[in-house]
């Protein structure tokens, strides 16, 4: 496997490793948020419903949402989105290794044809390297 294939697979590997714990943890948090019971008012009079004891201010609601755990989840999902974008825009189709086309032969060539084509190609490259001073 070439270096370009490894570098193309690494973001997919990171994405997979991040997704394995992140998706179930997110689902558990969402389900637990919906399963929490709201505080019920035992007194049904209008005095009780207007008292501050049972009403939550907007700041209290925001502080309940913006816990360290929830902010970390949001940040990790943003990183996952960036990884998806990166993988989508940088991945290219990997060409299949085709040794017959490199040697200039048709698939199913005999062993002697393969050896002749290999020697001819190696002589060509050896000669060109010697002329360049390698």
């Amino acid at each position: 496997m070439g270096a370009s294939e490894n570098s193309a697979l690494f973001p997919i590997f990171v994405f997979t490793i991040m997704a394995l714990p992140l998706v179930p943890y997110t689902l558990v948090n969402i389900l637990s948020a919906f399963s929490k019971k709201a505080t019920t008012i035992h007194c049904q009079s209008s005095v009780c419903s207007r008292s501050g004891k049972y009403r939550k201010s907007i700041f209290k609601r925001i502080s309940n949402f913006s816990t360290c755990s929830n902010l970390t989840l949001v940040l990790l999902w943003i990183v996952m989105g960036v990884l998806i974008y990166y993988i989508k825009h940088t991945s290219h189709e990997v060409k299949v290794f085709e040794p017959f086309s490199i040697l200039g032969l048709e698939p199913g060539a005999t062993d002697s044809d393969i050896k002749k084509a290999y020697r001819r190609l190696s002589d060509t490259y050896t000669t060109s390297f010697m002329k360049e001073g390698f």
Side-chain angles (χ1 to χ4, degrees), residues 18-35:
M18 283 181 64
L20 285 173
L22 185 62
V23 171
Y25 185 71
T26 303
L27 292 175
V28 166
N29 275 355
I30 290 172
L31 293 175
S32 69
F34 284 120
S35 67

Side-chain angles (χ1 to χ4, degrees), residues 77-97:
W77 278 107
I78 290 171
V79 169
M80 294 281 281
V82 169
L83 271 173
I84 290 171
Y85 179 81
Y86 177 77
I87 290 167
K88 183 177 178 183
H89 290 297
T90 59
S91 64
H92 56 282
E93 185 142 345
V94 178
K95 293 181 181 177
V96 178
F97 178 69

Side-chain angles (χ1 to χ4, degrees), residues 27-48:
L27 292 175
V28 166
N29 275 355
I30 290 172
L31 293 175
S32 69
F34 284 120
S35 67
K36 286 183 183 175
K37 293 184 179 179
T39 307
T40 57
I41 302 173
H42 300 291
C43 174
Q44 298 299 326
S45 70
S46 62
V47 175
C48 291

Side-chain angles (χ1 to χ4, degrees), residues 3-126:
S4 65
E5 291 177 25
N6 286 337
S7 64
L9 292 176
F10 185 72
I12 297 171
F13 171 75
V14 171
F15 175 79
T16 305
I17 295 300
M18 283 181 64
L20 285 173
L22 185 62
V23 171
Y25 185 71
T26 303
L27 292 175
V28 166
N29 275 355
I30 290 172
L31 293 175
S32 69
F34 284 120
S35 67
K36 286 183 183 175
K37 293 184 179 179
T39 307
T40 57
I41 302 173
H42 300 291
C43 174
Q44 298 299 326
S45 70
S46 62
V47 175
C48 291
S49 63
R50 279 189 245 130
S51 79
K53 181 177 180 182
Y54 296 107
R55 286 186 3 198
K56 286 187 175 180
S57 69
I58 189 75
F59 297 112
K60 183 70 173 168
R61 290 179 187 171
I62 290 173
S63 69
N64 282 344
F65 170 74
S66 62
T67 62
C68 185
S69 173
N70 289 345
L71 293 178
T72 304
L73 271 177
V74 170
L75 178 68
L76 285 173
W77 278 107
I78 290 171
V79 169
M80 294 281 281
V82 169
L83 271 173
I84 290 171
Y85 179 81
Y86 177 77
I87 290 167
K88 183 177 178 183
H89 290 297
T90 59
S91 64
H92 56 282
E93 185 142 345
V94 178
K95 293 181 181 177
V96 178
F97 178 69
E98 190 62 45
F100 291 106
S101 65
I102 294 171
L103 294 173
L105 299 173
E106 294 294 322
T110 64
D111 286 343
S112 63
D113 290 339
I114 292 172
K115 288 177 184 177
K116 288 176 189 175
Y118 177 78
R119 286 188 193 114
R120 180 178 33 85
L121 198 59
S122 66
D123 287 342
T124 304
Y125 281 112
T126 303

Side-chain angles (χ1 to χ4, degrees), residues 125-134:
Y125 281 112
T126 303
T127 309
S128 66
F129 284 135
M130 292 300 209
K131 286 180 182 177
E132 292 177 11
F134 285 103

